[in-house]
Amino acid sequence: MTQDVHQTRAIATAWFLAGLGAVPFVAMALGQAIVPGFANAHLGGDQAFLGYGAVILSFMGGVRWGAALAPSSAPTSAETMILSVAPSLAGWLALLIDRPWSLLLLLVGFILQGAWDVASARNGSLPSWFGKLRMVISAIVAASILIVLAA
């Protein structure tokens, strides 16, 4: 197989997995909007939504950490390494504070992380396809958080 085929498969896999990762956000947001009492459900609701959001936001920071350490990447700056840890800290803090601030912190975290990823894809620090993926997924996650806030 050629390098192009491997790259195409990797990109398709990334889109597929990112889409699967968005499903819990959408499902829990719709659950809170449609089902009375869902916010207090044991296997759903606010606690599950916040926990999942914190984990995924932390993962997004880890993606940036990994990209910064990749052998083919530009020289790693201290600022990039520091910023790549911020999503984990924001996610953890969101678990410790009350609603609506917890949800607002996740919302801001996902928007800022998505904007950084898109900007990095535009300037060539990350692949262009990754910027498009992050724009779409960030919009889905932000919309889900807004639905939960409104529920």
Side-chain angles (χ1 to χ4, degrees):
M1 284 190 180
T2 67
Q3 181 67 19
D4 289 340
V5 172
H6 287 295
Q7 181 68 9
T8 301
R9 283 187 176 175
I11 294 168
T13 301
W15 275 94
F16 177 73
L17 293 173
L20 284 179
V23 169
F25 283 110
V26 174
M28 287 187 282
L30 292 176
Q32 288 205 30
I34 296 169
V35 180
F38 186 85
N40 297 318
H42 180 65
L43 294 176
D46 278 351
Q47 188 174 18
F49 191 88
L50 283 170
Y52 188 69
V55 167
I56 297 301
L57 185 58
S58 181
F59 174 78
M60 295 317 305
V63 168
R64 293 309 298 254
W65 180 282
L69 295 177
S72 62
S73 69
T76 302
S77 69
E79 293 83 12
T80 301
M81 299 302 288
I82 291 166
L83 287 173
S84 71
V85 175
S88 297
L89 296 174
W92 171 69
L93 182 58
L95 295 173
L96 301 177
I97 59 178
D98 292 329
R99 186 178 205 214
W101 305 111
S102 55
L103 292 166
L104 291 170
L105 180 56
L106 285 180
L107 178 64
V108 169
F110 277 107
I111 289 171
L112 290 175
Q113 183 67 48
W116 183 28
D117 291 344
V118 169
S120 295
R122 286 186 178 150
N123 74 21
S125 300
L126 291 173
S128 61
W129 64 265
F130 187 71
K132 294 172 189 165
L133 181 146
R134 291 293 294 125
M135 187 180 302
V136 170
I137 298 300
S138 293
I140 292 169
V141 171
S144 297
I145 294 170
L146 290 171
I147 289 168
V148 171
L149 276 166

